[in-house]
């Protein structure tokens, strides 16, 4: 599952991890990395079956259930990527600066006829719901695939629950890394 990840990178040049990294154990993790590459985006990653399933979210996550944030699937990343921050050099894949914008654990919420639907199955069917316990984000979120074939799109949506905060613009009010406290501009300066 990590073949594409490895093929795209030259580990002699990029500081990104080449190893697999351990699974998290009892509770699966999620991580959101703010990535200032050719275009700024937020990489949303969920631990599923020992890897980080990944989507690039151009506008980042929202705490408002009315927002539907486009989420473009990208290659699986190794568990070791979850705490990566730093700068990928010019000329390398994804060149630019990365900070860990949020990290935490999640619970799968997807139940069908009283049975918990495994995340991998929910994602294959294009409808996953999960409860995030992050440092910034909390509550239910859904990843939903709409359309078919070439026209298929994934959306990341906040579920309407007690953790929803429609008036909050969290990517603006909390720009910093949850690991280092640094903004992406500060990280880029080294
Ligand atoms: Mn990225």
């Amino acid at each position: 599952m990590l073949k594409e990840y490895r093929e795209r990178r030259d580990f002699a040049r990029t500081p990104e991890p080449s190893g697999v990294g351990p699974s998290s154990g009892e509770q699966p993790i999620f991580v959101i990395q703010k990535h200032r590459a050719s275009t700024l985006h937020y990489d949303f990653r969920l631990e599923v079956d020992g890897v980080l399933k990944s989507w690039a979210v151009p506008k980042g996550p929202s705490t408002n259930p009315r927002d539907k944030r486009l989420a473009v699937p990208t290659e699986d990343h190794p568990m070791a990527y979850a705490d990566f921050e730093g700068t990928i050099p010019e000329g390398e894949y994804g060149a630019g600066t990365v900070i860990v914008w949020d990290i935490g654990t999640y619970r799968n919420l997807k139940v069908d006829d009283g049975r918990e639907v495994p995340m991998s199955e929910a994602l294959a069917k294009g409808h996953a719901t999960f409860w995030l316990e992050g440092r910034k984000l909390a509550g239910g979120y859904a990843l939903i695939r709409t359309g078919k074939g070439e026209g298929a799109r994934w959306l990341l949506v906040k579920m309407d629950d007690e953790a929803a905060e429609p008036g909050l613009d969290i990517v603006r009010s909390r720009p910093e890394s949850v690991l280092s406290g640094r903004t992406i501009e500060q990280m880029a300066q080294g």
Side-chain angles (χ1 to χ4, degrees):
M1 283 189 282
L2 295 171
K3 188 165 178 277
E4 195 176 342
Y5 174 85
R6 294 199 185 97
E7 283 174 355
R8 287 183 171 187
R9 290 170 175 81
D10 176 356
F11 295 108
R13 291 185 51 84
T14 180
E16 295 165 290
S18 57
V20 173
S23 291
S24 55
E26 242 164 71
Q27 281 232 286
I29 64 158
F30 81 96
V31 60
I32 301 172
Q33 279 152 320
K34 185 177 181 180
H35 185 185
R36 195 174 69 179
S38 49
T39 56
L40 179 72
H41 59 274
Y42 293 76
D43 288 299
F44 183 80
R45 312 190 198 279
L46 291 171
E47 179 183 5
V48 179
D49 300 336
V51 295
L52 294 170
K53 292 295 200 191
S54 299
W55 293 259
V57 181
K59 289 186 174 176
S62 176
T63 56
N64 184 348
R66 289 190 172 182
D67 288 339
K68 293 176 172 59
R69 294 288 162 89
L70 178 67
V72 182
T74 60
E75 77 275 20
D76 293 349
H77 279 50
M79 290 302 300
Y81 210 89
D83 61 357
F84 171 73
E85 24 181 62
T87 296
I88 303 164
E90 281 299 313
E92 297 309 298
Y93 177 71
T97 305
V98 176
I99 60 169
V100 176
W101 183 81
D102 198 13
I103 196 164
T105 58
Y106 77 88
R107 277 189 296 117
N108 183 3
L109 295 178
K110 191 74 174 177
V111 174
D112 190 11
D113 281 338
R115 176 188 75 108
E116 183 181 309
V117 180
M119 281 299 284
S120 54
E121 191 180 323
L123 290 171
K125 286 180 175 165
H127 198 289
T129 54
F130 40 86
W131 185 274
L132 301 181
E133 301 273 3
R135 309 268 287 273
K136 294 176 184 171
L137 297 185
Y141 278 81
L143 268 169
I144 302 158
R145 188 174 58 216
T146 64
K148 287 201 160 93
E150 292 285 297
R153 295 283 180 275
W154 286 87
L155 299 171
L156 176 66
V157 187
K158 177 77 194 76
M159 292 167 75
D160 198 357
D161 54 34
E162 69 270 21
E165 288 194 70
L168 183 65
D169 187 353
I170 197 163
V171 297
R172 281 188 194 279
S173 65
R174 298 291 305 278
E176 81 286 357
S177 162
V178 293
L179 297 188
S180 61
R182 300 166 83 193
T183 63
I184 204 154
E185 291 78 16
Q186 290 166 335
M187 183 69 70
Q189 284 160 14

